[in-house]
Amino acid sequence: MLLDNVDHQRDLGIYVTNKLTRDFHCNFILKQYIDRFNLLRRSYYFLRNINHKRTLYLTMVRSILVHCSAVWAPQSVGLLTRFEAAQKRCIKWIFNTSYLVR
């Protein structure tokens, strides 16, 4: 019996590539995160209360990042930058601002 050669395989919710890199899974998680946030933003465009927005974000969107994050945490600067940019977008939506001061 011959086994098929594949580029990536999902095991216990984590994508593992044949080169044992995390990039494929990180890109998959980031796409899910952005898609879920965009759905939340379109569905609840009428919300103005920060506490309600925060609760929705924590339950529907941030849970994607928290799941198994110790296993797949991004290591490259490019991936970290993309994750931070996505999270900043969510924070701006929660606080109803177009720009944040550090």
mmCIF file of all heavy atoms in Angstrom, residues 17-60:
data_model
loop_
_atom_site.group_PDB
_atom_site.id
_atom_site.type_symbol
_atom_site.label_atom_id
_atom_site.label_comp_id
_atom_site.label_asym_id
_atom_site.label_seq_id
_atom_site.Cartn_x
_atom_site.Cartn_y
_atom_site.Cartn_z
ATOM 1 N N THR A 17 2.931 21.244 7.620
ATOM 2 C CA THR A 17 3.416 21.110 6.247
ATOM 3 C C THR A 17 4.516 20.061 6.196
ATOM 4 O O THR A 17 5.063 19.649 7.229
ATOM 5 C CB THR A 17 3.975 22.449 5.724
ATOM 6 O OG1 THR A 17 5.090 22.827 6.517
ATOM 7 C CG2 THR A 17 2.915 23.532 5.760
ATOM 8 N N ASN A 18 4.869 19.664 4.988
ATOM 9 C CA ASN A 18 5.916 18.662 4.844
ATOM 10 C C ASN A 18 7.301 19.216 5.201
ATOM 11 O O ASN A 18 8.233 18.459 5.424
ATOM 12 C CB ASN A 18 5.918 18.068 3.425
ATOM 13 C CG ASN A 18 6.078 19.134 2.362
ATOM 14 O OD1 ASN A 18 6.169 20.321 2.657
ATOM 15 N ND2 ASN A 18 6.086 18.703 1.119
ATOM 16 N N LYS A 19 7.433 20.549 5.300
ATOM 17 C CA LYS A 19 8.692 21.169 5.721
ATOM 18 C C LYS A 19 8.649 21.605 7.187
ATOM 19 O O LYS A 19 9.570 22.249 7.671
ATOM 20 C CB LYS A 19 9.002 22.367 4.840
ATOM 21 C CG LYS A 19 9.260 21.972 3.402
ATOM 22 C CD LYS A 19 9.613 23.162 2.571
ATOM 23 C CE LYS A 19 9.833 22.702 1.138
ATOM 24 N NZ LYS A 19 10.185 23.807 0.259
ATOM 25 N N LEU A 20 7.567 21.274 7.868
ATOM 26 C CA LEU A 20 7.358 21.581 9.286
ATOM 27 C C LEU A 20 7.414 23.082 9.586
ATOM 28 O O LEU A 20 7.912 23.506 10.621
ATOM 29 C CB LEU A 20 8.367 20.827 10.159
ATOM 30 C CG LEU A 20 8.274 19.303 10.084
ATOM 31 C CD1 LEU A 20 9.367 18.683 10.938
ATOM 32 C CD2 LEU A 20 6.915 18.816 10.536
ATOM 33 N N THR A 21 6.884 23.885 8.667
ATOM 34 C CA THR A 21 6.794 25.323 8.906
ATOM 35 C C THR A 21 5.390 25.675 9.370
ATOM 36 O O THR A 21 4.438 24.926 9.146
ATOM 37 C CB THR A 21 7.106 26.122 7.625
ATOM 38 O OG1 THR A 21 6.152 25.768 6.629
ATOM 39 C CG2 THR A 21 8.518 25.850 7.146
ATOM 40 N N ARG A 22 5.276 26.803 10.021
ATOM 41 C CA ARG A 22 3.987 27.229 10.556
ATOM 42 C C ARG A 22 3.275 28.223 9.655
ATOM 43 O O ARG A 22 2.172 28.646 9.945
ATOM 44 C CB ARG A 22 4.202 27.889 11.915
ATOM 45 C CG ARG A 22 4.834 26.980 12.918
ATOM 46 C CD ARG A 22 5.129 27.728 14.184
ATOM 47 N NE ARG A 22 5.780 26.844 15.124
ATOM 48 C CZ ARG A 22 6.529 27.268 16.098
ATOM 49 N NH1 ARG A 22 6.726 28.536 16.263
ATOM 50 N NH2 ARG A 22 7.078 26.411 16.922
ATOM 51 N N ASP A 23 3.908 28.632 8.591
ATOM 52 C CA ASP A 23 3.370 29.694 7.745
ATOM 53 C C ASP A 23 2.001 29.351 7.170
ATOM 54 O O ASP A 23 1.107 30.198 7.142
ATOM 55 C CB ASP A 23 4.337 30.023 6.610
ATOM 56 C CG ASP A 23 5.624 30.641 7.119
ATOM 57 O OD1 ASP A 23 5.674 30.999 8.310
ATOM 58 O OD2 ASP A 23 6.564 30.757 6.318
ATOM 59 N N PHE A 24 1.811 28.143 6.696
ATOM 60 C CA PHE A 24 0.528 27.755 6.105
ATOM 61 C C PHE A 24 -0.585 27.887 7.137
ATOM 62 O O PHE A 24 -1.641 28.449 6.862
ATOM 63 C CB PHE A 24 0.592 26.325 5.560
ATOM 64 C CG PHE A 24 -0.655 25.905 4.849
ATOM 65 C CD1 PHE A 24 -0.835 26.224 3.513
ATOM 66 C CD2 PHE A 24 -1.659 25.220 5.508
ATOM 67 C CE1 PHE A 24 -1.993 25.860 2.847
ATOM 68 C CE2 PHE A 24 -2.816 24.857 4.851
ATOM 69 C CZ PHE A 24 -2.985 25.178 3.520
ATOM 70 N N HIS A 25 -0.353 27.379 8.337
ATOM 71 C CA HIS A 25 -1.386 27.441 9.368
ATOM 72 C C HIS A 25 -1.614 28.882 9.827
ATOM 73 O O HIS A 25 -2.760 29.283 10.050
ATOM 74 C CB HIS A 25 -1.018 26.556 10.564
ATOM 75 C CG HIS A 25 -2.116 26.484 11.570
ATOM 76 N ND1 HIS A 25 -3.270 25.761 11.355
ATOM 77 C CD2 HIS A 25 -2.264 27.075 12.773
ATOM 78 C CE1 HIS A 25 -4.079 25.902 12.393
ATOM 79 N NE2 HIS A 25 -3.486 26.697 13.270
ATOM 80 N N CYS A 26 -0.555 29.657 9.960
ATOM 81 C CA CYS A 26 -0.711 31.058 10.369
ATOM 82 C C CYS A 26 -1.528 31.833 9.341
ATOM 83 O O CYS A 26 -2.396 32.631 9.707
ATOM 84 C CB CYS A 26 0.650 31.707 10.558
ATOM 85 S SG CYS A 26 1.511 31.148 12.037
ATOM 86 N N ASN A 27 -1.280 31.621 8.066
ATOM 87 C CA ASN A 27 -2.064 32.281 7.021
ATOM 88 C C ASN A 27 -3.520 31.830 7.060
ATOM 89 O O ASN A 27 -4.435 32.634 6.862
ATOM 90 C CB ASN A 27 -1.460 32.024 5.644
ATOM 91 C CG ASN A 27 -0.168 32.776 5.453
ATOM 92 O OD1 ASN A 27 0.001 33.879 5.955
ATOM 93 N ND2 ASN A 27 0.757 32.174 4.729
ATOM 94 N N PHE A 28 -3.750 30.553 7.341
ATOM 95 C CA PHE A 28 -5.106 30.021 7.459
ATOM 96 C C PHE A 28 -5.836 30.683 8.631
ATOM 97 O O PHE A 28 -6.987 31.122 8.499
ATOM 98 C CB PHE A 28 -5.049 28.499 7.639
ATOM 99 C CG PHE A 28 -6.375 27.863 7.867
ATOM 100 C CD1 PHE A 28 -7.259 27.664 6.823
ATOM 101 C CD2 PHE A 28 -6.744 27.456 9.146
ATOM 102 C CE1 PHE A 28 -8.493 27.078 7.034
ATOM 103 C CE2 PHE A 28 -7.972 26.867 9.370
ATOM 104 C CZ PHE A 28 -8.846 26.678 8.310
ATOM 105 N N ILE A 29 -5.178 30.776 9.774
ATOM 106 C CA ILE A 29 -5.770 31.392 10.965
ATOM 107 C C ILE A 29 -6.046 32.869 10.724
ATOM 108 O O ILE A 29 -7.103 33.391 11.090
ATOM 109 C CB ILE A 29 -4.843 31.197 12.185
ATOM 110 C CG1 ILE A 29 -4.800 29.734 12.600
ATOM 111 C CG2 ILE A 29 -5.266 32.071 13.367
ATOM 112 C CD1 ILE A 29 -6.111 29.198 13.123
ATOM 113 N N LEU A 30 -5.104 33.556 10.105
ATOM 114 C CA LEU A 30 -5.274 34.982 9.835
ATOM 115 C C LEU A 30 -6.461 35.231 8.910
ATOM 116 O O LEU A 30 -7.247 36.150 9.127
ATOM 117 C CB LEU A 30 -3.999 35.562 9.238
ATOM 118 C CG LEU A 30 -3.952 37.071 9.084
ATOM 119 C CD1 LEU A 30 -4.100 37.755 10.443
ATOM 120 C CD2 LEU A 30 -2.657 37.487 8.427
ATOM 121 N N LYS A 31 -6.624 34.399 7.901
ATOM 122 C CA LYS A 31 -7.764 34.540 6.992
ATOM 123 C C LYS A 31 -9.077 34.306 7.734
ATOM 124 O O LYS A 31 -10.034 35.057 7.563
ATOM 125 C CB LYS A 31 -7.655 33.585 5.817
ATOM 126 C CG LYS A 31 -8.774 33.757 4.821
ATOM 127 C CD LYS A 31 -8.665 32.803 3.678
ATOM 128 C CE LYS A 31 -9.779 32.878 2.677
ATOM 129 N NZ LYS A 31 -11.014 33.501 3.048
ATOM 130 N N GLN A 32 -9.129 33.289 8.584
ATOM 131 C CA GLN A 32 -10.336 33.038 9.384
ATOM 132 C C GLN A 32 -10.641 34.215 10.296
ATOM 133 O O GLN A 32 -11.792 34.633 10.438
ATOM 134 C CB GLN A 32 -10.141 31.802 10.254
ATOM 135 C CG GLN A 32 -10.546 30.517 9.641
ATOM 136 C CD GLN A 32 -10.547 29.407 10.687
ATOM 137 O OE1 GLN A 32 -9.807 29.452 11.681
ATOM 138 N NE2 GLN A 32 -11.356 28.411 10.463
ATOM 139 N N TYR A 33 -9.607 34.755 10.928
ATOM 140 C CA TYR A 33 -9.735 35.874 11.856
ATOM 141 C C TYR A 33 -10.309 37.096 11.141
ATOM 142 O O TYR A 33 -11.273 37.705 11.604
ATOM 143 C CB TYR A 33 -8.357 36.170 12.442
ATOM 144 C CG TYR A 33 -8.305 37.313 13.421
ATOM 145 C CD1 TYR A 33 -8.663 37.132 14.748
ATOM 146 C CD2 TYR A 33 -7.869 38.569 13.031
ATOM 147 C CE1 TYR A 33 -8.593 38.172 15.656
ATOM 148 C CE2 TYR A 33 -7.796 39.610 13.929
ATOM 149 C CZ TYR A 33 -8.154 39.403 15.236
ATOM 150 O OH TYR A 33 -8.089 40.435 16.122
ATOM 151 N N ILE A 34 -9.744 37.427 9.988
ATOM 152 C CA ILE A 34 -10.202 38.596 9.232
ATOM 153 C C ILE A 34 -11.616 38.385 8.701
ATOM 154 O O ILE A 34 -12.454 39.297 8.772
ATOM 155 C CB ILE A 34 -9.207 38.912 8.097
ATOM 156 C CG1 ILE A 34 -7.894 39.420 8.690
ATOM 157 C CG2 ILE A 34 -9.785 39.931 7.126
ATOM 158 C CD1 ILE A 34 -6.772 39.546 7.693
ATOM 159 N N ASP A 35 -11.901 37.196 8.202
ATOM 160 C CA ASP A 35 -13.245 36.906 7.702
ATOM 161 C C ASP A 35 -14.291 37.011 8.805
ATOM 162 O O ASP A 35 -15.364 37.578 8.618
ATOM 163 C CB ASP A 35 -13.306 35.523 7.061
ATOM 164 C CG ASP A 35 -12.577 35.443 5.738
ATOM 165 O OD1 ASP A 35 -12.205 36.509 5.187
ATOM 166 O OD2 ASP A 35 -12.354 34.318 5.263
ATOM 167 N N ARG A 36 -13.989 36.466 9.962
ATOM 168 C CA ARG A 36 -14.936 36.513 11.083
ATOM 169 C C ARG A 36 -15.130 37.949 11.571
ATOM 170 O O ARG A 36 -16.238 38.364 11.887
ATOM 171 C CB ARG A 36 -14.420 35.625 12.212
ATOM 172 C CG ARG A 36 -15.324 35.505 13.409
ATOM 173 C CD ARG A 36 -16.438 34.479 13.245
ATOM 174 N NE ARG A 36 -15.983 33.163 12.940
ATOM 175 C CZ ARG A 36 -15.682 32.219 13.818
ATOM 176 N NH1 ARG A 36 -15.785 32.459 15.107
ATOM 177 N NH2 ARG A 36 -15.304 31.031 13.416
ATOM 178 N N PHE A 37 -14.038 38.720 11.618
ATOM 179 C CA PHE A 37 -14.157 40.114 12.040
ATOM 180 C C PHE A 37 -15.004 40.913 11.048
ATOM 181 O O PHE A 37 -15.854 41.708 11.447
ATOM 182 C CB PHE A 37 -12.784 40.757 12.198
ATOM 183 C CG PHE A 37 -12.858 42.244 12.411
ATOM 184 C CD1 PHE A 37 -13.420 42.770 13.552
ATOM 185 C CD2 PHE A 37 -12.397 43.118 11.443
ATOM 186 C CE1 PHE A 37 -13.520 44.136 13.736
ATOM 187 C CE2 PHE A 37 -12.484 44.479 11.610
ATOM 188 C CZ PHE A 37 -13.044 44.994 12.762
ATOM 189 N N ASN A 38 -14.777 40.711 9.763
ATOM 190 C CA ASN A 38 -15.562 41.421 8.755
ATOM 191 C C ASN A 38 -17.038 41.056 8.838
ATOM 192 O O ASN A 38 -17.903 41.918 8.680
ATOM 193 C CB ASN A 38 -15.014 41.152 7.354
ATOM 194 C CG ASN A 38 -13.706 41.869 7.118
ATOM 195 O OD1 ASN A 38 -13.428 42.902 7.715
ATOM 196 N ND2 ASN A 38 -12.889 41.321 6.250
ATOM 197 N N LEU A 39 -17.328 39.797 9.110
ATOM 198 C CA LEU A 39 -18.715 39.378 9.297
ATOM 199 C C LEU A 39 -19.325 40.070 10.518
ATOM 200 O O LEU A 39 -20.452 40.573 10.466
ATOM 201 C CB LEU A 39 -18.797 37.863 9.459
ATOM 202 C CG LEU A 39 -20.175 37.292 9.770
ATOM 203 C CD1 LEU A 39 -21.100 37.464 8.569
ATOM 204 C CD2 LEU A 39 -20.063 35.836 10.155
ATOM 205 N N LEU A 40 -18.575 40.122 11.601
ATOM 206 C CA LEU A 40 -19.039 40.781 12.818
ATOM 207 C C LEU A 40 -19.283 42.260 12.563
ATOM 208 O O LEU A 40 -20.316 42.809 12.960
ATOM 209 C CB LEU A 40 -17.996 40.597 13.926
ATOM 210 C CG LEU A 40 -18.276 41.261 15.259
ATOM 211 C CD1 LEU A 40 -19.402 40.528 15.966
ATOM 212 C CD2 LEU A 40 -17.032 41.246 16.108
ATOM 213 N N ARG A 41 -18.361 42.910 11.891
ATOM 214 C CA ARG A 41 -18.483 44.340 11.613
ATOM 215 C C ARG A 41 -19.683 44.640 10.711
ATOM 216 O O ARG A 41 -20.399 45.609 10.925
ATOM 217 C CB ARG A 41 -17.193 44.833 10.962
ATOM 218 C CG ARG A 41 -17.062 46.318 10.944
ATOM 219 C CD ARG A 41 -15.744 46.728 10.410
ATOM 220 N NE ARG A 41 -15.606 46.198 9.049
ATOM 221 C CZ ARG A 41 -14.519 46.291 8.319
ATOM 222 N NH1 ARG A 41 -13.457 46.859 8.819
ATOM 223 N NH2 ARG A 41 -14.469 45.801 7.104
ATOM 224 N N ARG A 42 -19.918 43.802 9.707
ATOM 225 C CA ARG A 42 -21.072 44.009 8.814
ATOM 226 C C ARG A 42 -22.393 43.714 9.522
ATOM 227 O O ARG A 42 -23.397 44.394 9.281
ATOM 228 C CB ARG A 42 -20.949 43.123 7.586
ATOM 229 C CG ARG A 42 -19.961 43.602 6.578
ATOM 230 C CD ARG A 42 -20.066 42.811 5.282
ATOM 231 N NE ARG A 42 -20.125 41.370 5.470
ATOM 232 C CZ ARG A 42 -19.087 40.544 5.416
ATOM 233 N NH1 ARG A 42 -17.875 41.033 5.200
ATOM 234 N NH2 ARG A 42 -19.228 39.251 5.585
ATOM 235 N N SER A 43 -22.399 42.713 10.378
ATOM 236 C CA SER A 43 -23.642 42.311 11.041
ATOM 237 C C SER A 43 -24.051 43.265 12.159
ATOM 238 O O SER A 43 -25.244 43.453 12.402
ATOM 239 C CB SER A 43 -23.497 40.907 11.627
ATOM 240 O OG SER A 43 -23.223 39.983 10.613
ATOM 241 N N TYR A 44 -23.090 43.842 12.831
ATOM 242 C CA TYR A 44 -23.379 44.704 13.979
ATOM 243 C C TYR A 44 -22.885 46.119 13.743
ATOM 244 O O TYR A 44 -22.299 46.748 14.624
ATOM 245 C CB TYR A 44 -22.759 44.116 15.250
ATOM 246 C CG TYR A 44 -23.370 42.796 15.626
ATOM 247 C CD1 TYR A 44 -22.716 41.599 15.336
ATOM 248 C CD2 TYR A 44 -24.603 42.743 16.249
ATOM 249 C CE1 TYR A 44 -23.287 40.384 15.659
ATOM 250 C CE2 TYR A 44 -25.178 41.530 16.577
ATOM 251 C CZ TYR A 44 -24.515 40.352 16.284
ATOM 252 O OH TYR A 44 -25.084 39.164 16.601
ATOM 253 N N TYR A 45 -23.144 46.655 12.570
ATOM 254 C CA TYR A 45 -22.709 48.002 12.223
ATOM 255 C C TYR A 45 -23.392 49.063 13.082
ATOM 256 O O TYR A 45 -22.882 50.162 13.242
ATOM 257 C CB TYR A 45 -22.993 48.289 10.740
ATOM 258 C CG TYR A 45 -24.441 48.268 10.386
ATOM 259 C CD1 TYR A 45 -25.204 49.423 10.445
ATOM 260 C CD2 TYR A 45 -25.056 47.086 10.008
ATOM 261 C CE1 TYR A 45 -26.550 49.398 10.133
ATOM 262 C CE2 TYR A 45 -26.395 47.053 9.690
ATOM 263 C CZ TYR A 45 -27.138 48.210 9.755
ATOM 264 O OH TYR A 45 -28.468 48.174 9.451
ATOM 265 N N PHE A 46 -24.536 48.734 13.664
ATOM 266 C CA PHE A 46 -25.324 49.694 14.425
ATOM 267 C C PHE A 46 -24.880 49.813 15.886
ATOM 268 O O PHE A 46 -25.333 50.698 16.585
ATOM 269 C CB PHE A 46 -26.813 49.313 14.373
ATOM 270 C CG PHE A 46 -27.066 47.892 14.800
ATOM 271 C CD1 PHE A 46 -27.238 47.570 16.127
ATOM 272 C CD2 PHE A 46 -27.112 46.875 13.848
ATOM 273 C CE1 PHE A 46 -27.461 46.256 16.517
ATOM 274 C CE2 PHE A 46 -27.340 45.573 14.218
ATOM 275 C CZ PHE A 46 -27.511 45.254 15.562
ATOM 276 N N LEU A 47 -23.990 48.937 16.351
ATOM 277 C CA LEU A 47 -23.555 48.985 17.747
ATOM 278 C C LEU A 47 -22.644 50.177 17.997
ATOM 279 O O LEU A 47 -21.745 50.459 17.217
ATOM 280 C CB LEU A 47 -22.788 47.710 18.113
ATOM 281 C CG LEU A 47 -23.596 46.503 18.518
ATOM 282 C CD1 LEU A 47 -22.668 45.354 18.865
ATOM 283 C CD2 LEU A 47 -24.493 46.801 19.679
ATOM 284 N N ARG A 48 -22.859 50.864 19.099
ATOM 285 C CA ARG A 48 -21.994 51.968 19.512
ATOM 286 C C ARG A 48 -21.396 51.733 20.897
ATOM 287 O O ARG A 48 -20.423 52.361 21.253
ATOM 288 C CB ARG A 48 -22.775 53.291 19.514
ATOM 289 C CG ARG A 48 -23.233 53.712 18.148
ATOM 290 C CD ARG A 48 -22.048 54.141 17.305
ATOM 291 N NE ARG A 48 -22.485 54.416 15.949
ATOM 292 C CZ ARG A 48 -21.883 53.939 14.880
ATOM 293 N NH1 ARG A 48 -20.839 53.164 14.998
ATOM 294 N NH2 ARG A 48 -22.320 54.226 13.690
ATOM 295 N N ASN A 49 -21.984 50.821 21.650
ATOM 296 C CA ASN A 49 -21.520 50.542 23.006
ATOM 297 C C ASN A 49 -20.212 49.744 22.955
ATOM 298 O O ASN A 49 -20.151 48.660 22.376
ATOM 299 C CB ASN A 49 -22.587 49.765 23.770
ATOM 300 C CG ASN A 49 -22.252 49.618 25.227
ATOM 301 O OD1 ASN A 49 -21.102 49.678 25.630
ATOM 302 N ND2 ASN A 49 -23.284 49.429 26.028
ATOM 303 N N ILE A 50 -19.186 50.269 23.582
ATOM 304 C CA ILE A 50 -17.860 49.640 23.562
ATOM 305 C C ILE A 50 -17.885 48.279 24.253
ATOM 306 O O ILE A 50 -17.254 47.330 23.788
ATOM 307 C CB ILE A 50 -16.813 50.573 24.208
ATOM 308 C CG1 ILE A 50 -16.615 51.805 23.332
ATOM 309 C CG2 ILE A 50 -15.494 49.858 24.423
ATOM 310 C CD1 ILE A 50 -15.738 52.858 23.945
ATOM 311 N N ASN A 51 -18.601 48.155 25.353
ATOM 312 C CA ASN A 51 -18.647 46.881 26.080
ATOM 313 C C ASN A 51 -19.309 45.781 25.264
ATOM 314 O O ASN A 51 -18.862 44.624 25.288
ATOM 315 C CB ASN A 51 -19.376 47.049 27.414
ATOM 316 C CG ASN A 51 -18.577 47.873 28.393
ATOM 317 O OD1 ASN A 51 -17.355 47.837 28.374
ATOM 318 N ND2 ASN A 51 -19.253 48.651 29.213
ATOM 319 N N HIS A 52 -20.353 46.115 24.527
ATOM 320 C CA HIS A 52 -21.015 45.118 23.681
ATOM 321 C C HIS A 52 -20.094 44.680 22.545
ATOM 322 O O HIS A 52 -19.993 43.486 22.231
ATOM 323 C CB HIS A 52 -22.318 45.664 23.112
ATOM 324 C CG HIS A 52 -23.354 45.916 24.157
ATOM 325 N ND1 HIS A 52 -24.437 46.721 23.948
ATOM 326 C CD2 HIS A 52 -23.474 45.462 25.428
ATOM 327 C CE1 HIS A 52 -25.184 46.768 25.032
ATOM 328 N NE2 HIS A 52 -24.614 46.010 25.953
ATOM 329 N N LYS A 53 -19.423 45.655 21.927
ATOM 330 C CA LYS A 53 -18.497 45.328 20.845
ATOM 331 C C LYS A 53 -17.354 44.460 21.350
ATOM 332 O O LYS A 53 -16.950 43.500 20.702
ATOM 333 C CB LYS A 53 -17.923 46.600 20.222
ATOM 334 C CG LYS A 53 -18.865 47.327 19.319
ATOM 335 C CD LYS A 53 -18.134 48.508 18.720
ATOM 336 C CE LYS A 53 -18.931 49.195 17.663
ATOM 337 N NZ LYS A 53 -18.183 50.281 17.027
ATOM 338 N N ARG A 54 -16.832 44.800 22.512
ATOM 339 C CA ARG A 54 -15.721 44.038 23.092
ATOM 340 C C ARG A 54 -16.137 42.601 23.378
ATOM 341 O O ARG A 54 -15.407 41.655 23.080
ATOM 342 C CB ARG A 54 -15.236 44.711 24.372
ATOM 343 C CG ARG A 54 -14.083 44.013 25.035
ATOM 344 C CD ARG A 54 -13.665 44.765 26.310
ATOM 345 N NE ARG A 54 -12.608 44.052 26.981
ATOM 346 C CZ ARG A 54 -12.801 43.087 27.873
ATOM 347 N NH1 ARG A 54 -14.023 42.730 28.208
ATOM 348 N NH2 ARG A 54 -11.781 42.485 28.435
ATOM 349 N N THR A 55 -17.316 42.424 23.938
ATOM 350 C CA THR A 55 -17.810 41.080 24.238
ATOM 351 C C THR A 55 -17.983 40.259 22.966
ATOM 352 O O THR A 55 -17.575 39.094 22.917
ATOM 353 C CB THR A 55 -19.139 41.170 24.999
ATOM 354 O OG1 THR A 55 -18.944 41.936 26.184
ATOM 355 C CG2 THR A 55 -19.644 39.798 25.367
ATOM 356 N N LEU A 56 -18.556 40.861 21.945
ATOM 357 C CA LEU A 56 -18.711 40.155 20.677
ATOM 358 C C LEU A 56 -17.356 39.793 20.076
ATOM 359 O O LEU A 56 -17.160 38.687 19.575
ATOM 360 C CB LEU A 56 -19.509 41.010 19.685
ATOM 361 C CG LEU A 56 -21.004 41.055 19.909
ATOM 362 C CD1 LEU A 56 -21.649 42.126 19.056
ATOM 363 C CD2 LEU A 56 -21.605 39.703 19.613
ATOM 364 N N TYR A 57 -16.419 40.727 20.123
ATOM 365 C CA TYR A 57 -15.083 40.467 19.583
ATOM 366 C C TYR A 57 -14.401 39.322 20.322
ATOM 367 O O TYR A 57 -13.836 38.418 19.709
ATOM 368 C CB TYR A 57 -14.230 41.736 19.669
ATOM 369 C CG TYR A 57 -12.774 41.482 19.430
ATOM 370 C CD1 TYR A 57 -12.294 41.241 18.150
ATOM 371 C CD2 TYR A 57 -11.869 41.460 20.484
ATOM 372 C CE1 TYR A 57 -10.948 40.985 17.925
ATOM 373 C CE2 TYR A 57 -10.536 41.214 20.271
ATOM 374 C CZ TYR A 57 -10.080 40.980 18.992
ATOM 375 O OH TYR A 57 -8.754 40.713 18.782
ATOM 376 N N LEU A 58 -14.448 39.344 21.648
ATOM 377 C CA LEU A 58 -13.771 38.310 22.436
ATOM 378 C C LEU A 58 -14.369 36.926 22.204
ATOM 379 O O LEU A 58 -13.643 35.935 22.167
ATOM 380 C CB LEU A 58 -13.822 38.657 23.924
ATOM 381 C CG LEU A 58 -12.967 39.845 24.361
ATOM 382 C CD1 LEU A 58 -13.196 40.135 25.835
ATOM 383 C CD2 LEU A 58 -11.502 39.599 24.082
ATOM 384 N N THR A 59 -15.672 36.850 22.051
ATOM 385 C CA THR A 59 -16.292 35.537 21.890
ATOM 386 C C THR A 59 -16.243 35.020 20.458
ATOM 387 O O THR A 59 -16.049 33.827 20.242
ATOM 388 C CB THR A 59 -17.763 35.568 22.349
ATOM 389 O OG1 THR A 59 -18.458 36.581 21.636
ATOM 390 C CG2 THR A 59 -17.868 35.800 23.829
ATOM 391 N N MET A 60 -16.401 35.894 19.496
ATOM 392 C CA MET A 60 -16.511 35.430 18.112
ATOM 393 C C MET A 60 -15.207 35.471 17.327
ATOM 394 O O MET A 60 -14.998 34.653 16.444
ATOM 395 C CB MET A 60 -17.564 36.257 17.372
ATOM 396 C CG MET A 60 -18.958 36.066 17.907
ATOM 397 S SD MET A 60 -20.166 37.059 17.016
ATOM 398 C CE MET A 60 -20.064 36.354 15.396
#
